[in-house]
Amino acid sequence: MKPVVLVTRKLPDAVEDRLRQDYDPILNPEDALYSSEEIIERAKGADAILPCHTEQFTAGVIARLPESVRAIANFSVGYDHVDTEAAKARGLIVTNTPEVLSDATAELTMMLMLGAARRASEGERLVRTREWKDWSPSFMVGTQVTGKRLGILGFGRVGRVVAKRARGFDMEIHYNDLQRMPPELEEGAIYHETPEDLMHHCDFLTLHCVASPETTKLLNADLIALLPDGAIVVNASRGVVIDDDALIAALKSGKLTAAGLDVYNGEPNINPEYRQLSNVFLMPHIGSATKETRDAMGFRALDNLDAIFAGREPRDRVA
Ligand code: 8YV
């Protein structure tokens, strides 16, 4: 008998085809967003769950999952939606999908930087609403990206690909992480021991740290105050790493020139003030949203499940 896998959202066709071949999947063709109660109910008889970051596996939910569930194979690199301690305590295996989405997320990060710096939201709105009437030397003047200093807070897989792409814009790369990377991973990037030290060197700041209690509201008013005046902040990691009130205040006061955001606290119900600010370039959490990457994320989650059900250690075990 094939293992039963509850798949919480509609996945790419190629991934669902492979699922049908090797497993007995409970699919969600309507792509409905199920509540925790519905997930618990639908998981009856399932051996594993293949969720997205849209489903919360708190300690309370994990405690109520049917006994049959042995694993949670996430379709995501981030796993802040899963209480890994509770999963471990229950003997649940948890996996994620690292590496395969680094390129797509780094591309989106470059887009956020360029979009924020070159006022993409304002420009697009002008064209679409026919408010674009004229050209003048002072029209829509933005910030040049080329040759500027880029600070990367969190120099993991995604942060390092961002550094590579930014080098194509002759940017000088600075970073902070819990520890200094070896030279082959630094590739000339300049290490700063604390986030505070890093701030002084950021014409642009991009956040690529893992969401955790330690990084919650990491970018707060105190850190923002250390950025050079006129800096630009971008975030394609998780919304919780930013204190929205502090960022919004800095965007309003002119301390920051602009921001580019793909992730938010409480998304999709974001702080409504962002919508009112013309100097923010807003995207709806699409960092990994390319065909290639979404297929690869699904296949990676299935590789993890294959290992688990073959009695092998899955490659991407996080709990
Ligand atoms: C996805 C992400 O949108 O993988 C992550 O952690 O944030 C995004 O790539 C999402 O997680 C899919 O579940």
Side-chain angles (χ1 to χ4, degrees):
M1 249 177 38
K2 294 177 185 174
V4 177
V5 178
L6 169 65
V7 182
T8 62
R9 304 299 299 267
K10 170 86 185 83
L11 297 182
D13 290 342
V15 177
E16 292 197 347
D17 286 348
R18 188 173 138 187
L19 257 161
R20 282 193 205 89
Q21 241 174 50
D22 301 335
Y23 295 93
D24 183 3
I26 305 168
L27 298 174
N28 179 359
E30 309 300 324
D31 201 23
L33 179 58
Y34 290 116
S35 67
S36 298
E37 286 304 319
E38 290 167 314
I39 296 289
I40 293 165
E41 183 58 32
R42 289 173 66 80
K44 277 190 184 146
D47 298 292
I49 305 178
L50 200 166
C52 294
H53 81 281
T54 43
E55 286 78 48
Q56 296 297 317
F57 290 88
T58 60
V61 172
I62 287 174
R64 293 180 53 215
L65 288 176
E67 278 299 310
S68 56
V69 176
R70 288 173 48 197
I72 298 178
N74 289 295
F75 181 87
S76 66
V77 63
Y79 50 92
D80 46 305
H81 57 289
V82 180
D83 185 328
T84 48
E85 289 311 311
K88 270 188 223 159
R90 210 199 117 142
L92 273 182
I93 298 173
V94 182
T95 59
N96 70 341
T97 59
E99 291 153 16
V100 290
L101 42 63
S102 304
D103 283 327
T105 308
E107 278 180 11
L108 200 273
T109 302
M110 294 308 295
M111 176 173 147
L112 293 177
M113 273 170 49
L114 293 164
R118 300 303 298 273
R119 304 170 60 178
S121 292
E122 286 173 83
E124 219 221 10
R125 192 185 56 76
L126 283 172
V127 179
R128 282 186 189 276
T129 60
R130 299 173 191 239
E131 285 171 67
W132 175 34
K133 300 283 183 230
D134 192 13
W135 183 93
S136 88
S138 58
F139 175 61
M140 284 284 300
V141 173
T143 303
Q144 190 140 318
V145 173
T146 303
K148 296 286 168 62
R149 296 170 301 171
L150 172 64
I152 304 181
L153 191 47
F155 207 59
R157 285 173 292 252
V158 178
R160 294 197 299 268
V161 180
V162 170
K164 277 194 208 301
R165 303 295 171 257
R167 285 187 194 103
F169 282 82
D170 297 333
M171 297 187 92
E172 183 179 285
I173 312 299
H174 295 254
Y175 77 98
N176 163 257
D177 206 310
L178 295 178
Q179 57 204 24
R180 188 168 174 179
M181 297 289 154
E184 64 276 17
L185 296 184
E186 271 188 347
E187 295 189 79
I190 301 158
Y191 179 63
H192 299 273
E193 274 184 18
T194 64
E196 286 76 9
D197 292 342
L198 174 68
M199 293 302 115
H200 300 287
H201 306 275
C202 303
D203 299 315
F204 288 79
L205 169 67
T206 182
L207 300 148
H208 296 288
C209 36
V210 169
S212 71
E214 292 73 39
T215 59
T216 298
K217 294 195 181 184
L218 178 61
L219 188 70
N220 59 15
D222 293 343
L223 270 197
I224 291 174
L226 301 176
L227 287 167
D229 290 345
I232 291 178
V233 168
V234 309
N235 186 18
S237 60
R238 283 290 184 268
V240 295
V241 302
I242 287 184
D243 176 341
D244 286 332
D245 292 338
L247 180 62
I248 289 165
L251 288 164
K252 280 183 174 170
S253 71
K255 166 69 189 173
L256 297 177
T257 296
L261 303 175
D262 183 49
V263 290
Y264 310 83
N265 284 293
E267 63 188 49
N269 301 313
I270 68 171
N271 186 316
E273 290 208 64
Y274 283 127
R275 296 195 191 98
Q276 311 304 323
L277 294 171
S278 57
N279 55 346
V280 286
F281 179 52
L282 305 171
M283 283 288 126
H285 197 148
I286 55 159
S288 65
T290 66
K291 178 169 179 350
E292 294 85 344
T293 289
R294 288 284 159 85
D295 282 354
M297 289 166 73
F299 295 143
R300 187 83 173 223
L302 290 183
D303 290 347
N304 285 320
L305 280 180
D306 292 351
I308 292 166
F309 288 108
R312 286 182 277 114
E313 183 67 10
R315 180 172 173 190
D316 307 311
R317 185 167 185 168
V318 294

